[in-house]
Amino acid sequence: AQKVTQAQTEISVVEKEDVTLDCVYETRDTTYYLFWYKQPPSGELVFLIRRNSFDEQNEISGRYSWNFQKSTSSFNFTITASQVVDSAVYFCALKENNFNKFYFGSGTKLNVKP
Amino acid sequence: DTEVTQTPKHLVMGMTNKKSLKCEQHMGHRAMYWYKQKAKKPPELMFVYSYEKLSINESVPSRFSPECPNSSLLNLHLHALQPEDSALYLCASSTSRGVDAGELFFGEGSRLTVL
C-alpha cells in the first residue's frame, strides 16, 4: 500500500493565485516525520520543511504554509501569491521511526504561469 | 549551493563499460543514500549506509555496487548496465540514525545515459 499519496498529479495556476498541494500518509507508528521537498527543472531536491508527529502546530514561512492534521493523516502545503519560480515538482515524504527509509509520494507538478 | 557534491553531473556509458559515480558531503552526516529517479517519478531508494556500513539494500541488481570508503564519501560503481538503467542518480545524506530523523540533503544528481 502507498504510504504517501499525492493525488494531484499536476496543477496549473496563474501567478499570484494561492495553491494547495495535498499529501495524505499512512503509518502505524506513533512517532514519525513528514517532509516536503521541491524539485525544480534543474533536478536537485530541495528540502522545505520537516514535521514531527508529536508537533501538530501549523507553520508559516513567508509565502509557504503547512497544515498538519493527524486526525485526517494529512500534511498539506499552501503557496500564497504563487510566482513563476515556484514552478517545480513537489514531493511529500514520510519517515517512520527506527528506519533510515524515506517514503516519497508520487509528486505534484506545479505550473505557475505569468 | 548544495552541500552534497556529486560527480560527474552527466555520464554516458556503453553496456560493457565500468564507471563510478561519486558523492561527497562535509556536514558530518553519518547516513548516506543512493536514490534512482526516472523521469516524472519520485526518487526510488537503492542503498543506505549508516556509519559507513550498508544498512539497506533495496534488492538492487548486482551491476550496481555501492561503496562507502569513509564517512564523507559514497561511491556507486556501475558495470554492465542496461539502457533501462538510464536515470538521474541522487546522493543524499542525513543526520538520522533512525530515532531522530534529520531531513535528507540531496546533491544535484548524476544524469546517467546507458547506450
Side-chain angles (χ1 to χ4, degrees), chain B residues 53-74:
Chain B
K53 288 190 181 355
L54 184 64
S55 61
I56 297 177
N57 176 342
E58 290 286 277
S59 302
V60 178
S62 60
R63 58 185 184 268
F64 295 92
S65 174
E67 178 196 18
C68 189
N70 60 54
S71 60
S72 300
L73 293 174
L74 185 66

Side-chain angles (χ1 to χ4, degrees), chain B residues 52-105:
Chain B
E52 293 111 73
K53 288 190 181 355
L54 184 64
S55 61
I56 297 177
N57 176 342
E58 290 286 277
S59 302
V60 178
S62 60
R63 58 185 184 268
F64 295 92
S65 174
E67 178 196 18
C68 189
N70 60 54
S71 60
S72 300
L73 293 174
L74 185 66
N75 298 322
L76 186 63
H77 302 298
L78 315 171
H79 174 53
L81 295 193
Q82 305 296 311
E84 58 264 30
D85 296 321
S86 298
L88 181 68
Y89 288 84
L90 292 159
C91 174
S93 69
S94 76
T95 58
S96 168
R97 199 190 176 184
V99 175
D100 179 26
E103 54 271 19
L104 290 169
F105 289 82

Side-chain angles (χ1 to χ4, degrees), chain A residues 43-56:
Chain A
E44 180 187 351
L45 277 135
V46 178
F47 164 74
L48 296 178
I49 190 171
R50 176 183 79 178
R51 230 356 160 219
N52 305 333
S53 56
F54 41 86
D55 180 4
E56 280 195 78

